[in-house]
Amino acid sequence: MLQKGEGQAIERGSTRTPPPPTASSHWAISQDATMTNRREFFQTTAAIAGSLIFPKAVFATPDHCFHFIHAASCKHWPVADPVQWSLENAHKPILERAADGLSKLTECDGDRIVRLVVRRCSLNLLEVHPGRVGVDHWGSHRADLKPFFKDHGLARPEIEVVLRDRKKEATTTLTGDSFLYGVPLASDFDLELFLSKWESRFEQEADDWQSAPGTSSGFAWTGIEDGFIPWTAMKSAWRQGCPGACLNCSGTTFWTNFGLRQVGMFNRCGFVEHVCRECRRSFKDESVDLKAWMAANLDEGVRPDAEMVWGRRVARTTKAHT
Ligand SMILES: [Zn+2]
Ligand SMILES: [Zn+2]
């Protein structure tokens, strides 16, 4: 029996095949042998790019579920059976561009229907199994999958992700952690050292006017190697507060770098970087108003003295109050 809400709003019109009770559970692991066969089936089909067939029988089983994601808006919704859903919703605005084609197809045309709606309607079809996600997309019309992966706990290295580009009928295999926000910390970045300096941000230490390793700012401070940021400037920023919770794990983050990045021949772009101490991912923000950021986060005495321009120090004319 369908429980309230189980059919999901968008599938309300569908009464033919109510989703099985565990269809929305990604992690339900069935011990039965048919599942192994099904999994093997999917591994085989994934391997044969270009002749991917979706027999109707494999839809809406308890051990996996389907979601459509709209590539532009990133709106997503679960469907028990993507083929049936497409046929039943052909008149809806979201499938408008596939409506003509859908009117000529039937439930026996499973793979053609999936390919059609993926191509014409900028939809991605996600097939979520325990440990494995398949994504059908059309060329560059791929949704930002990070929010979905985060919400579904899929952004993990042990999750296999098979991207199926239905335009080229080519597959790419990645791991779930490819869909984490930010980038992994550089392997030589000394997070423990930064954390120990962060802990003592309200204290003065003998090495505060030494460079923080791994920083690269496009600025220069008197007595500090070109480009590096002195600990005292990092501590000043750290005392102002945290950049905000980590997008991946909601962990505590802290600034690790800021400055100007050379863009092309003559332009420079301001950036700030922060790192999550829990998941060790690094986040760069290039939309920041660096001047305002430095005014808010760097005490007057610790602002840079010069900008690095073509490898030379050029005294900063904009340095406030000097
Ligand atoms: Zn799901
Ligand atoms: Zn994190």
Side-chain angles (χ1 to χ4, degrees), residues 36-52:
T36 312
N37 295 339
R38 216 174 282 132
R39 200 180 270 161
E40 279 164 6
F41 168 81
F42 270 99
Q43 279 163 0
T44 312
T45 50
I48 314 168
S51 60
L52 212 58

Side-chain angles (χ1 to χ4, degrees), residues 1-9 12 18-19 21 24:
M1 223 222 239
L2 254 187
Q3 285 173 5
K4 195 166 181 282
E6 198 173 302
Q8 303 297 333
R12 210 171 281 144
S24 61

Side-chain angles (χ1 to χ4, degrees), residues 23-228:
S24 61
S25 159
H26 305 157
W27 311 115
I29 295 177
S30 156
Q31 297 304 316
D32 95 37
T34 62
M35 185 184 128
T36 312
N37 295 339
R38 216 174 282 132
R39 200 180 270 161
E40 279 164 6
F41 168 81
F42 270 99
Q43 279 163 0
T44 312
T45 50
I48 314 168
S51 60
L52 212 58
I53 305 299
F54 286 85
K56 176 124 175 67
V58 302
F59 288 136
T61 60
D63 60 304
H64 72 283
C65 68
F66 292 89
H67 293 253
F68 275 118
I69 299 192
H70 187 242
S73 66
C74 283
K75 261 181 64 180
H76 60 84
W77 58 96
V79 290
D81 177 335
V83 169
Q84 196 185 3
W85 183 88
S86 300
L87 291 170
E88 285 171 357
N89 292 279
H91 59 285
K92 299 252 175 81
I94 190 118
L95 296 183
E96 193 180 9
R97 299 194 62 224
D100 274 357
L102 286 171
S103 69
K104 295 170 197 120
L105 297 169
T106 71
E107 283 178 6
C108 304
D109 304 306
D111 186 53
R112 289 181 67 191
I113 287 172
V114 168
R115 194 166 187 270
L116 179 68
V117 299
V118 163
R119 174 165 68 95
R120 300 285 296 172
C121 310
S122 285
L123 295 179
N124 290 185
L125 177 63
L126 269 70
E127 194 184 316
V128 182
H129 303 250
R132 189 156 173 278
V133 183
V135 183
D136 279 43
H137 64 98
W138 188 262
S140 60
H141 292 273
R142 213 178 86 202
D144 176 5
L145 300 174
K146 291 194 286 293
F148 183 91
F149 271 57
K150 182 189 178 180
D151 292 348
H152 286 69
L154 296 168
R156 297 178 287 132
E158 62 271 28
I159 304 287
E160 185 188 44
V161 183
V162 180
L163 302 174
R164 301 186 278 246
D165 179 353
R166 303 308 308 270
K167 190 176 181 181
K168 296 183 195 135
E169 294 295 9
T171 65
T172 310
T173 304
L174 301 170
T175 50
D177 55 342
S178 314
F179 299 93
L180 286 168
Y181 291 91
V183 298
L185 262 185
S187 58
D188 58 352
F189 185 87
D190 194 341
L191 182 62
E192 276 61 44
L193 175 61
F194 269 74
L195 282 174
S196 77
K197 293 301 281 179
W198 183 82
E199 299 286 355
S200 59
R201 64 198 180 282
F202 292 103
E203 296 152 32
Q204 288 192 4
E205 293 171 297
D207 64 349
D208 280 355
W209 274 100
Q210 288 177 20
S211 55
T215 52
S216 176
S217 68
F219 287 121
W221 282 257
T222 305
I224 303 286
E225 305 95 302
D226 291 348
F228 285 93

